[in-house]
Structures are given as structure tokens and as C-alpha cells.
Amino acid sequence: MLKLAVFDFDSTLMDGETIDFFADELGIGEQVAQITEEAMSGRLDFFESLQQRVGLLKGLDFSVVEKIAHNLPYMPGAVETIAELKKRGMTVVCFSGGFRTATSYAKDILGYDADFSNALHVKDGKLTGLVGGDMMFNFSKGDMLVRLQNILGVSEEETLVCGDGANDLSMFAHAGTRVAFCGREILKKEANIIVDEKDLTKILEHI
């Protein structure tokens, strides 16, 4: 029986990449999206790609960041799927290589229990181009998942994970139910459930 569900945020619970929306404000959306794609497809180290992309956002007003982060388009079926999993007695958590300004805000809207992500460094009301947090590396999600399983007393067999990109691979290694949601090929190879339609409720048909 499943007890813990962990979802990625960008392109999983939310329809798009938060950092790409920020970059659009500076007119560098295409440049940043290209780096994001390289990282999500596993061709670029996640930590390096994150530093590179956040560095390009230097000088962006944090008020703009917050406005964008609080108006993101959530994935169809996200609210309903999380509500159903919680109804079944599961703890639902969000792991994101993105940012707390988006994931913490979305927590009560989407209904998950906790979020682990990164924080953008802000000075004098503007982004400095620096970032820190829980989800900086390729191994971060797997590392945090094992810690959560130990705290909650949940086994790999009782764990569902859902994501779309290469930085989700580390958590796939520690879960019995592995969902690739509109995922890159590198992740689909490790999944035992594949959903290619932008509707999170489709996951419920498999569990």
C-alpha cells in the first residue's frame, strides 16, 4: 500500500518551468530555456545549469519574481490528484530544483503537505544571481527522499514518485512506483508508469 507520494514541481505540478518565466521578463527566455532543456534531458549537470541560469537573472526585481511565482499555471488535475492521494491516507510532498517563492506559495493551493526547493538570494530588493537550498544537485531528490522515508517509516515499496526530467532520476532509484509524467526519454526508461498527457489524474488509473 502506498503511503508517500513525491512530486516534482516544474513541468509536473506546474505547467512550465518557473525559471523560464522569470527569464522572459529580462528578454532571455530562449537562452535560459535552452539550458533548462539540456539539464532536464541529462546532457548538462543540474548544479552547473542551475548556477548558470540563476546567474543570468541577476538584477531582476524580487517583486517581479514574486508576482510571476504567484501566478503560475498549475498542471490540469494537480489539485484533484493530490486530494485523492491524501484521501487514501498518503503524505504528499513536493521536491523542486526550482524555488521556494513558487513551491511554498503553491502548497496550500495544490494541497501538498510540504515542499523542499531552493531559495533565490535577494539583496536590496533584487536578485543577486546566487542561489542555495535543498535541491541543488543531481542527487538531491534521492537524498532527501531517503531521509523522508526514514523519518516517516516508509519503505521504497510504499513510495510513489513523479517527475519529468533527469534531476528526478535520483528519487526514482528509491521508489517502487515511478511515474514519468510527460517525461524526457532518460526518465521514461526508469519509470514503471508513463503518462504522456497533461492531466495528472491519469496517474490515478495506474495505482
Side-chain angles (χ1 to χ4, degrees), residues 18-33:
T18 307
I19 198 161
D20 295 353
F21 289 117
F22 295 160
D24 284 339
E25 279 295 311
L26 294 169
I28 53 169
E30 210 172 293
Q31 186 185 351
V32 169

Side-chain angles (χ1 to χ4, degrees), residues 7 11 14 28 30 32 39 54 64 86 91 107 114 116 128 141-142 149 152 155-156 167 171 194 196-197 204-206:
F7 286 85
S11 298
M14 193 273 288
I28 53 169
E30 210 172 293
V32 169
V54 173
V64 173
K86 288 179 77 171
T91 300
K107 177 181 165 287
F116 296 84
T128 63
K141 291 187 180 184
Q149 287 168 331
L152 298 173
S155 69
E156 289 190 6
N167 70 322
M171 66 175 180
I194 294 173
D196 280 329
E197 191 183 330
L204 300 172
E205 297 169 13
H206 299 274

Side-chain angles (χ1 to χ4, degrees), residues 64-102:
V64 173
V65 166
E66 284 196 303
K67 189 181 173 189
I68 294 167
H70 297 176
N71 290 279
L72 294 167
Y74 299 121
M75 193 63 74
V79 172
E80 296 82 352
T81 302
I82 291 170
E84 175 58 29
L85 295 178
K86 288 179 77 171
K87 204 167 115 185
R88 296 184 192 185
M90 295 172 71
T91 300
V92 182
V93 178
C94 169
F95 284 178
S96 175
F99 313 107
R100 287 182 68 177
T101 181

Side-chain angles (χ1 to χ4, degrees), residues 22-188:
F22 295 160
D24 284 339
E25 279 295 311
L26 294 169
I28 53 169
E30 210 172 293
Q31 186 185 351
V32 169
Q34 205 174 341
I35 302 169
T36 301
E37 180 55 39
E38 288 293 298
M40 291 302 101
S41 300
R43 293 187 293 270
L44 189 62
D45 177 78
F46 185 77
F47 178 71
E48 290 173 337
S49 84
L50 184 65
Q51 301 281 17
Q52 204 177 339
R53 288 175 291 159
V54 173
L56 290 167
L57 300 177
K58 187 177 180 179
L60 184 60
D61 282 341
F62 189 61
S63 59
V64 173
V65 166
E66 284 196 303
K67 189 181 173 189
I68 294 167
H70 297 176
N71 290 279
L72 294 167
Y74 299 121
M75 193 63 74
V79 172
E80 296 82 352
T81 302
I82 291 170
E84 175 58 29
L85 295 178
K86 288 179 77 171
K87 204 167 115 185
R88 296 184 192 185
M90 295 172 71
T91 300
V92 182
V93 178
C94 169
F95 284 178
S96 175
F99 313 107
R100 287 182 68 177
T101 181
T103 61
S104 295
Y105 181 82
K107 177 181 165 287
D108 294 331
I109 296 167
L110 299 182
Y112 45 83
D113 297 299
D115 62 302
F116 296 84
S117 51
N118 301 315
L120 292 160
H121 185 240
V122 181
K123 197 174 179 183
D124 302 325
K126 293 182 187 293
L127 298 189
T128 63
L130 300 174
V131 61
D134 302 318
M135 295 287 152
M136 299 275 286
F137 300 94
N138 282 335
F139 64 78
S140 295
K141 291 187 180 184
D143 188 54
M144 188 63 77
L145 177 57
V146 170
R147 287 194 246 172
L148 255 190
Q149 287 168 331
N150 289 338
I151 291 166
L152 298 173
V154 171
S155 69
E156 289 190 6
E157 290 70 36
E158 294 166 328
T159 304
L160 175 152
V161 293
C162 177
D164 73 300
N167 70 322
D168 297 310
L169 280 170
S170 65
M171 66 175 180
F172 269 42
H174 302 285
T177 305
R178 303 176 297 280
V179 184
F181 181 77
C182 299
R184 309 308 199 285
E185 284 308 315
I186 193 168
L187 199 66
K188 283 183 179 180

